[in-house]
Amino acid sequence: MKRPWLGLALGLAVLAGGLLVWGGGLAAAADAPLKLPSITLGLEQAKSPEQVSTALQVVLLLTVLTLAPAILIMMTSFTRLAVVFSLLRNALGTQQIPPTQIIVGLALFLTFFIMSPVFNQINDKALTPFVDGKISQQQFLEEAGKPLKEFMLRQTRKKDLGLFMHIAGEDRPANAQAVPITSLIPAFVISELKTAFEIGFLLYVPFLVIDMVVASVLLSMGMMMLPPVMVSLPFKLMLFVLVDGWYLLVGSLVKSFY
């Protein structure tokens, strides 16, 4: 005769024993002292000026790290490169090929390549002396801004710079280093956008000719239901590959900054 209640009773007994053992372990763990790290946040009165200076440097560093993406995009060659690569993709009509991640990555590494002389000057004339304690924080900011200003001024049109200085009501600067950074950055950005659009227009022209020729041929053949983009895409890719388009485009973009 089977006794299902006997198996059920044994299972409940085992479960109760396990709970008792687990509860005893928790009680023993609760009685034992726990050694956990603690974090304390608060404001205390500084005992020396050095403590205040260190705190301000930490705040400044965190601020720079927060603004680093904006600095990289707006004050370097990244804007022109990213816009031109995006216009090239649209001119080819390849939808999402190359992917946006590839375009951004290529523009980012080319930015490091183009800006390496500027970064080297900042490291030699500003960062290294500041770390060694040879210059103050104010001198560090001034020395670090000089190479970056020179780079942006070379790529900025006087017309664009004059526009923002006129809007801000600022006088004509005595020299290049006297140009206010608040007017230089937006002038540099719109100058880069204008240059990128000019390059994009030149990229569009040959591909537009191919699209027009293919559309005319399909229309004359009565194949109006066939999308011209589908037929012209292989010819545009073939043209871009035959002329070694990436070599010419990247080489021209890099040389345009020197």
Side-chain angles (χ1 to χ4, degrees), residues 40-128:
T40 303
L41 298 177
L43 298 176
E44 297 180 358
Q45 185 174 2
K47 299 180 181 179
S48 62
E50 288 77 9
Q51 292 182 354
V52 179
S53 177
T54 303
L56 292 177
Q57 291 178 8
V58 172
V59 173
L60 178 62
L61 177 61
L62 294 176
T63 303
V64 172
L65 292 177
T66 304
L67 299 177
I71 294 174
L72 178 63
I73 293 175
M74 297 301 177
M75 301 176 65
T76 62
S77 58
F78 182 85
T79 301
R80 183 187 305 184
L81 298 172
V83 172
V84 170
F85 291 150
S86 298
L87 290 174
L88 172 65
R89 183 174 64 180
N90 293 333
L92 287 171
T94 53
Q95 302 294 330
Q96 296 298 323
I97 304 298
T100 304
Q101 293 85 349
I102 301 297
I103 291 178
V104 173
L106 179 59
L108 187 62
F109 281 103
L110 285 177
T111 298
F112 289 140
F113 178 79
I114 295 171
M115 300 296 296
S116 58
V118 178
F119 293 155
N120 290 334
Q121 293 182 25
I122 294 175
N123 180 66
D124 296 338
K125 297 181 180 180
L127 184 59
T128 301

Side-chain angles (χ1 to χ4, degrees), residues 12-220:
L12 291 176
V14 172
L15 179 60
L19 290 176
L20 289 175
V21 173
W22 183 57
L26 289 179
D31 295 336
L34 296 177
K35 296 181 180 180
L36 297 176
S38 62
I39 300 176
T40 303
L41 298 177
L43 298 176
E44 297 180 358
Q45 185 174 2
K47 299 180 181 179
S48 62
E50 288 77 9
Q51 292 182 354
V52 179
S53 177
T54 303
L56 292 177
Q57 291 178 8
V58 172
V59 173
L60 178 62
L61 177 61
L62 294 176
T63 303
V64 172
L65 292 177
T66 304
L67 299 177
I71 294 174
L72 178 63
I73 293 175
M74 297 301 177
M75 301 176 65
T76 62
S77 58
F78 182 85
T79 301
R80 183 187 305 184
L81 298 172
V83 172
V84 170
F85 291 150
S86 298
L87 290 174
L88 172 65
R89 183 174 64 180
N90 293 333
L92 287 171
T94 53
Q95 302 294 330
Q96 296 298 323
I97 304 298
T100 304
Q101 293 85 349
I102 301 297
I103 291 178
V104 173
L106 179 59
L108 187 62
F109 281 103
L110 285 177
T111 298
F112 289 140
F113 178 79
I114 295 171
M115 300 296 296
S116 58
V118 178
F119 293 155
N120 290 334
Q121 293 182 25
I122 294 175
N123 180 66
D124 296 338
K125 297 181 180 180
L127 184 59
T128 301
F130 177 70
V131 173
D132 295 338
K134 297 180 180 179
I135 60 176
S136 63
Q137 183 176 344
Q138 182 65 26
Q139 292 175 329
F140 163 74
L141 295 176
E142 293 177 357
E143 293 297 328
K146 288 180 181 179
L148 206 54
K149 266 189 174 183
E150 293 176 357
F151 171 80
M152 289 191 293
L153 283 171
R154 288 198 303 267
Q155 309 301 327
T156 304
R157 299 187 306 166
K158 295 181 179 179
K159 180 180 180 181
D160 297 331
L161 182 59
L163 169 65
F164 287 98
M165 295 191 66
H166 174 71
I167 295 174
E170 298 169 346
D171 298 331
R172 185 181 182 89
N175 50 53
Q177 292 301 327
V179 176
I181 195 70
T182 53
S183 299
L184 178 58
I185 293 177
F188 170 75
V189 172
I190 64 173
S191 296
E192 287 292 281
L193 290 175
K194 180 179 184 298
T195 304
F197 283 2
E198 291 175 348
I199 298 174
F201 170 76
L202 297 177
L203 290 174
Y204 257 94
V205 171
F207 300 126
L208 180 61
V209 172
I210 294 177
D211 285 334
M212 294 177 62
V213 171
V214 170
S216 300
V217 171
L218 292 178
L219 184 61
S220 63

Side-chain angles (χ1 to χ4, degrees), residues 217-229:
V217 171
L218 292 178
L219 184 61
S220 63
M221 295 175 62
M223 304 174 64
M224 294 179 292
M225 300 301 295
L226 183 64
V229 176

Side-chain angles (χ1 to χ4, degrees), residues 210-251:
I210 294 177
D211 285 334
M212 294 177 62
V213 171
V214 170
S216 300
V217 171
L218 292 178
L219 184 61
S220 63
M221 295 175 62
M223 304 174 64
M224 294 179 292
M225 300 301 295
L226 183 64
V229 176
M230 184 179 299
V231 180
S232 63
L233 179 58
F235 292 99
K236 291 190 286 186
L237 291 177
M238 181 179 64
L239 174 64
F240 192 71
V241 172
L242 288 178
V243 300
D244 203 357
W246 287 112
Y247 173 85
L248 295 176
L249 178 61
V250 172

